[in-house]
Amino acid sequence: KQHYDMGNYLYQNMLDKRMTYTCGYWKNAANLDEAQEAKLKLVCEKMYLKPGMRVLDIGCGWGAFAKYAAENYQVSVVGVTVSE
């Protein structure tokens, strides 16, 4: 509770525009936003996502992965978090 529900101020100052709370993929990225988008794309590709699939995102944070996967791979995502 102390960690996840402390408000967005700190996270907005250290995370990318999507508020992605995991490491980025920097292979061809020039900034944090590009690194995080590259990571989201890589994860979706490694999962072989196809339109119509359902994905469970445990620890979904602000929903960056869910939104990216739904918009770019036409999947349905259910997110579960301990945060209020």
Side-chain angles (χ1 to χ4, degrees):
K1 184 169 180 95
Q2 288 177 326
H3 177 81
Y4 291 111
D5 292 327
M6 62 186 292
N8 289 353
Y9 179 76
L10 170 68
Y11 300 110
Q12 288 169 332
N13 286 292
M14 67 182 228
L15 302 177
D16 68 314
K17 66 184 178 186
R18 289 184 173 99
M19 303 274 284
T20 310
Y21 193 70
T22 54
C23 62
Y25 182 59
W26 288 90
K27 185 175 182 182
N28 297 311
N31 58 56
L32 182 58
D33 287 330
E34 289 178 8
Q36 292 295 28
E37 184 163 342
K39 184 265 304 292
L40 294 170
K41 183 176 190 267
L42 181 63
V43 169
C44 289
E45 289 174 358
K46 286 183 174 270
M47 293 174 64
Y48 300 103
L49 293 182
K50 303 286 185 242
M53 288 179 147
R54 295 186 67 203
V55 179
L56 174 60
D57 185 0
I58 299 172
C60 61
W62 286 269
F65 170 77
K67 187 171 183 346
Y68 182 87
E71 290 176 351
N72 293 281
Y73 292 84
Q74 293 73 53
V75 297
S76 174
V77 183
V78 174
V80 178
T81 182
V82 297
S83 178
E84 291 180 17

